[in-house]
Amino acid sequence: MRKMLAAVSRVLSGVAQKPASRVLVASRSFANDATFEIKKCDLHRLEEGPPVTTVLTREDGLRYYRMMQTVRRMELKADQLYKQKIIRGFCHLCDGQEACCVGLEAGINPTDHLITAYRAHGFTFTRGLSVREILAELTGRRGGCAKGKGGSMHMYAKNFYGGNGIVGAQVPLGAGIALACKYFGKDEVCLTLYGDGAANQGQIFEAYNMAALWKLPCIFICENNRYGMGTSVERAAASTDYYKRGDFIPGLRVDGMDILCVREATRFAAAYCRSGKGPILMELQTYRYHGHSMSDPGVSYRTREEIQEVRSKSDPIMLLKDRMVNSNLASVEELKEIDVEVRKEIEDAAQFATADPEPPLEELGHHIYSSDPPFEVRGANQWIKFKSIS
């Protein structure tokens, strides 16, 4: 009897040591999936569009929530490190736009391709790189994804081509990647992203034309966050229907604050391209909470009340959280546990990003080419030489 009481006591003691929320989550029964209505997309040159209902599994919902929360916390940490002057140079944050990067990734395959502009941290993460590699790149350290030589605007991963600093210049490159997919006979697509500020550039329309002529598997995606730097779309564009800008290319306008809308629209667009019909255009209506870059306070051309209204009514993380809790896919306590885990991951990554050494000067010329024999690169004057190793 004494042995039995001692065993029961040990079990109860173990339960008492666990957080109450974890015990509650473990004992609760959740639904495996739930069906949700999503906003209908506006269509251009399409007879039918993505579905207006979708199924979200508990597993997918928890994964999306963790990914979006990680991107949010990572960007807030980058803001803090920038203000401490640990991160230098250009830095464009994407908090508020998490449903775009996570939703797009949820709608394609890992073997598909993606290229974007300079607001790239979220896409770098969803394409498979760790927070540690991203923050270390932002602080210019050897452990960064580009060995500390790329910084905020030049991060790369497998099937992810940056991070490009020249406004709109990534769009013809994306069409070229789609051409390679078709040339090699691969069942792959390229997501080519740009912002509303770049949408009026001539090179984008040239890329549209070539992609349509050659029926390239390219999804042109305009992330419309309503402001190009400090200029509202109404002041910058005679037509703000960016999804119609392809003219002869079909298009759809998507609620970019709803991850499920983005996911279903991306699946629809990818299936369209894979079927051999050629390119398609997507406009994601989204919003950034920060200014254009860290040098922009973001409140000289819009009001604080406008930002707060979007946060309170359309925040992508809040929308997913409410759906999951209200449909018994997750509990508030379980999601709070994820928040705690994410914060710890971000803090650990930030410590690494500030302690890791900077790349040595002799590596300045490395990695210019991917598979060439070593050669010399001239420095600031003809007497300074750097060796370049692939």
Side-chain angles (χ1 to χ4, degrees):
M1 179 63 74
R2 285 181 181 177
K3 289 182 179 179
M4 186 182 295
L5 289 173
V8 171
S9 176
R10 283 196 298 272
V11 170
L12 292 175
S13 175
V15 170
Q17 288 173 4
K18 292 181 181 179
S21 60
R22 292 202 174 187
V23 175
L24 185 64
V25 168
S27 63
R28 181 171 168 179
S29 177
F30 294 105
N32 290 325
D33 57 56
T35 302
F36 298 100
E37 292 185 359
I38 54 177
K39 184 178 178 181
K40 184 179 180 180
C41 295
D42 296 319
L43 305 179
H44 171 66
R45 288 184 178 268
L46 289 167
E47 293 183 2
E48 59 179 355
V52 293
T53 62
T54 185
V55 174
L56 176 66
T57 66
R58 169 174 156 81
E59 181 183 359
D60 284 346
L62 291 173
R63 186 171 76 254
Y64 299 159
Y65 182 84
R66 182 181 291 273
M67 291 179 75
M68 287 203 291
Q69 196 67 268
T70 301
V71 173
R72 174 73 57 86
R73 291 291 164 189
M74 179 176 69
E75 295 295 66
L76 295 178
K77 178 57 69 174
D79 171 272
Q80 181 185 342
L81 294 173
Y82 196 96
K83 288 171 179 173
Q84 293 172 351
K85 298 185 177 180
I86 297 172
I87 295 174
R88 303 274 187 157
F90 292 105
C91 187
H92 307 81
L93 304 181
C94 70
D95 48 318
Q97 299 183 197
E98 294 88 356
C100 296
C101 56
V102 178
L104 289 170
E105 187 64 36
I108 59 173
N109 302 323
T111 51
D112 290 323
H113 308 267
L114 191 148
I115 186 168
T116 188
Y118 38 76
R119 204 177 304 280
H121 306 162
F123 292 106
T124 310
F125 174 72
T126 57
R127 286 267 80 184
L129 291 186
S130 67
V131 176
R132 173 182 284 215
E133 291 172 290
I134 295 168
L135 288 182
E137 189 57 42
L138 284 169
T139 56
R141 308 304 171 107
R142 292 185 73 176
C145 56
K147 310 298 182 186
K149 295 183 288 186
S152 173
M153 299 191 291
H154 303 102
M155 298 183 182
Y156 309 95
K158 185 173 178 58
N159 298 327
F160 175 62
Y161 306 84
N164 291 267
I166 306 301
V167 176
Q170 72 279 4
V171 179
L173 296 179
I177 295 166
L179 173 62
C181 293
K182 183 170 183 176
Y183 184 85
F184 289 113
K186 296 181 178 179
D187 187 28
E188 298 168 358
V189 300
C190 181
L191 276 60
T192 302
L193 289 103
Y194 56 97
D196 53 274
N200 300 314
Q201 290 211 354
Q203 60 184 330
I204 291 178
F205 294 90
E206 293 177 45
Y208 287 168
N209 185 58
M210 295 174 75
L213 278 173
W214 297 338
K215 293 190 180 302
L216 302 182
C218 188
I219 307 175
F220 294 104
I221 303 171
C222 177
E223 284 186 291
N224 177 8
N225 60 23
R226 294 163 50 175
Y227 298 94
M229 296 187 71
T231 306
S232 67
V233 293
E234 292 81 11
R235 293 178 58 217
S239 169
T240 57
D241 290 335
Y242 295 103
Y243 71 109
K244 295 181 179 179
R245 290 286 194 90
D247 187 16
F248 39 79
I249 297 176
L252 55 158
R253 181 159 56 192
V254 184
D255 181 357
M257 302 299 275
D258 182 351
I259 185 172
L260 298 184
C261 275
V262 177
R263 183 188 71 177
E264 293 308 311
T266 307
R267 286 175 175 172
F268 174 86
Y272 180 94
C273 287
R274 291 188 215 280
S275 69
K277 296 177 182 176
I280 193 168
L281 203 158
M282 284 172 58
E283 175 189 344
L284 303 181
Q285 293 188 310
T286 184
Y287 198 82
R288 55 170 162 80
Y289 295 153
H290 266 85
H292 171 72
S293 68
M294 285 302 297
S295 60
D296 169 22
V299 291
S300 58
Y301 48 87
R302 58 182 184 177
T303 63
R304 295 183 188 276
E305 289 74 23
E306 177 186 302
I307 303 168
Q308 188 54 43
E309 183 179 12
V310 175
R311 281 183 179 274
S312 61
K313 294 181 180 179
S314 305
D315 183 80
I317 298 176
M318 177 194 72
L319 291 176
L320 178 63
K321 178 180 179 180
D322 289 347
R323 273 179 170 157
M324 294 185 69
V325 171
N326 294 337
S327 57
N328 195 35
L329 289 175
S331 66
V332 173
E333 294 79 15
E334 185 177 19
L335 297 179
K336 281 183 179 177
E337 283 183 21
I338 292 175
D339 295 347
V340 172
E341 292 168 3
V342 166
R343 284 194 183 96
K344 185 180 185 307
E345 179 187 0
I346 301 299
E347 287 302 323
D348 291 346
Q351 287 186 8
F352 171 79
T354 53
D356 197 47
E358 295 179 352
L361 186 61
E362 56 266 22
E363 290 185 8
L364 187 64
H366 289 190
H367 310 121
I368 294 174
Y369 297 106
S370 63
S371 56
D372 273 28
F375 62 97
E376 284 192 337
V377 179
R378 182 182 144 165
N381 63 56
Q382 59 183 323
W383 297 283
I384 299 175
K385 302 285 186 180
F386 295 105
K387 192 171 186 179
S388 181
I389 300 174
S390 298

